[in-house]
Amino acid sequence: THVARFGGDQAISAPRGEGKTTIATVMIIYAILKQWVRFPVIIAQTGPHAERIFKDIKYQFENNSLLGDDFPEIADPVRALAGAPQRGNMQRHNGKLTQIAWKKNTITLPKIDGSNYGGVSLAYFGLDAAIRGLIINGMRPDFVLIDDPETRESAASSHQIAIRSQSIDRDIAGLAGPTKRIARVMLCTIQNRYCLAYQYTDSKQKSSWSGKRFKMLETFPDNTAMWEEYIVRRQEAQRNGDKEGREATQYYLDNREQMDAGSKVSNPQRLDATKMLDGWQIEISALQHCYNIIADYGMESFLSECQNDPS
């Protein structure tokens, strides 16, 4: 929230699948409604990736009943379009055009008497798009969400890393114009030790970005030998046709206190608590979830995708 209110940079790397994009969607809506920003822009590795976030924000204004109840000056005109953006050209409130825009790649909130949100705009782009000099309704962007700025291929290419870094440091940094510091928040997952995510969350390389790295498993358990046995049992069960590795789960249930000792997970709720038809629960804890990833995909994948600490 500090960056949204006062500008500056923040880079955050979190485990894959931890809901970074969902959090970012809510964060942008919150910043708009708090009147901290008037022209946020979403930039992602590709245009379609950014479009998914943009569509979810539009969906919230179109369908979220709580949002509609609290902010009818935004939601009612949006919903009055009934899925036909062209109606915005003639939409009026108290005889005056609301100037609402609800297009595929940009939106502008309606001007309603007594509302402070009229004219607030939102747009999205892929990181490879031409974004210099972006102006909508006389406004320059004041907040940029950079979500997962690299693909697996680009993260392995020094040339692509350099190009994307230049876009972030030059094109995006200059969007606000020469006299205002833009707010930039980067959400990412580290794929190797030279990719963008690693650089921008490393205070020695990019100190102004105040990089933060989060892990799925903050502290590994003390009894690694028992977890090695768990992995063997899970893989053996899977080879015998038991996809869920029930024998391994039972081994964990029988020895949970010893196997949990010394461990600390960042999100205790991150597990697959689905119950099978016979009542068997797929996973018992977030720690078991971590070791299922290790068993199924390997430690190298776990360290990169879940720990932001690739080898």
Side-chain angles (χ1 to χ4, degrees):
T1 59
H2 179 87
V3 172
R5 296 180 70 180
F6 304 111
D9 302 323
Q10 177 73 72
I12 300 171
S13 62
R16 189 76 65 188
E18 197 63 29
K20 298 188 299 295
T21 302
T22 300
I23 293 171
T25 299
V26 175
M27 179 183 70
I28 289 177
I29 294 174
Y30 183 77
I32 290 173
L33 298 179
K34 291 290 289 185
Q35 301 179 52
W36 293 340
V37 300
R38 290 193 63 81
F39 188 3
V41 175
I42 301 162
I43 296 178
Q45 54 186 247
T46 65
H49 184 106
E51 184 181 16
R52 288 195 293 270
I53 304 173
F54 182 78
K55 282 184 174 180
D56 192 34
I57 292 174
K58 292 175 71 176
Y59 176 86
Q60 297 303 321
F61 283 116
E62 291 167 344
N63 298 283
N64 188 310
S65 58
L66 293 177
L67 192 62
D69 291 343
D70 290 340
F71 298 93
E73 66 271 39
I74 301 175
D76 287 354
V78 168
R79 296 171 188 182
L81 298 177
Q86 63 273 17
R87 294 180 180 177
N89 296 329
M90 300 302 296
Q91 188 182 81
R92 295 177 181 271
H93 177 257
N94 289 340
K96 294 180 288 188
L97 291 172
T98 64
Q99 299 181 35
I100 187 174
W102 211 250
K103 301 177 182 178
K104 180 180 179 181
N105 60 348
T106 60
I107 61 175
T108 299
L109 299 186
K111 293 184 177 181
I112 302 295
D113 291 344
S115 170
N116 295 317
Y117 301 110
V120 170
S121 298
L122 177 67
Y124 76 87
F125 299 90
L127 193 57
D128 55 352
I131 56 177
R132 284 176 176 259
L134 178 61
I135 299 176
I136 292 181
N137 298 327
M139 294 190 301
R140 288 180 176 269
D142 51 13
F143 177 91
V144 178
L145 170 69
I146 306 170
D147 186 68
D148 269 341
E150 51 195 341
T151 64
R152 185 173 299 279
E153 291 74 21
S154 72
S157 166
S158 58
H159 176 66
Q160 281 293 316
I161 291 169
I163 290 176
R164 290 169 187 251
S165 181
Q166 287 180 6
S167 181
I168 292 169
D169 292 341
R170 299 178 186 179
D171 300 343
I172 296 176
L175 285 177
T179 61
K180 185 178 180 181
R181 183 174 68 163
I182 197 167
R184 297 182 295 176
V185 173
M186 180 188 296
L187 303 178
C188 53
T189 298
I190 296 173
Q191 300 187 46
N192 54 54
R193 290 185 174 267
Y194 49 87
C195 67
L196 283 176
Y198 190 89
Q199 292 180 28
Y200 281 82
T201 56
D202 182 0
S203 60
K204 293 181 180 179
Q205 296 187 63
K206 300 285 185 180
S207 59
S208 68
W209 282 82
S210 304
K212 294 182 179 180
R213 296 173 180 171
F214 295 93
K215 299 179 178 182
M216 184 181 293
L217 182 54
E218 295 182 11
T219 307
F220 279 81
D222 297 332
N223 200 325
T224 56
M226 294 191 78
W227 279 108
E228 289 172 0
E229 175 66 19
Y230 172 90
I231 291 172
V232 170
R233 290 179 180 235
R234 178 175 173 84
Q235 292 174 342
E236 181 65 25
Q238 290 173 332
R239 280 192 289 269
N240 292 330
D242 178 11
K243 293 183 179 180
E244 307 306 333
R246 292 193 182 200
E247 182 183 345
T249 298
Q250 189 60 56
Y251 175 75
Y252 175 53
L253 286 168
D254 294 340
N255 300 280
R256 182 171 180 180
E257 184 174 352
Q258 291 174 271
M259 295 175 73
D260 284 358
S263 66
K264 183 180 180 181
V265 295
S266 60
N267 181 4
Q269 306 304 316
R270 184 160 184 181
L271 70 151
D272 187 346
T274 302
K275 289 188 177 182
M276 310 298 286
L277 293 176
D278 60 0
W280 181 268
Q281 185 166 310
I282 291 178
E283 291 178 340
I284 308 303
S285 72
L287 179 61
Q288 183 189 15
H289 178 72
C290 291
Y291 274 91
N292 283 347
I293 295 174
I294 294 171
D296 296 350
Y297 305 107
M299 180 62 79
E300 184 177 348
S301 177
F302 179 74
L303 291 176
S304 177
E305 297 291 311
C306 303
Q307 296 292 93
N308 283 292
D309 187 24
S311 57

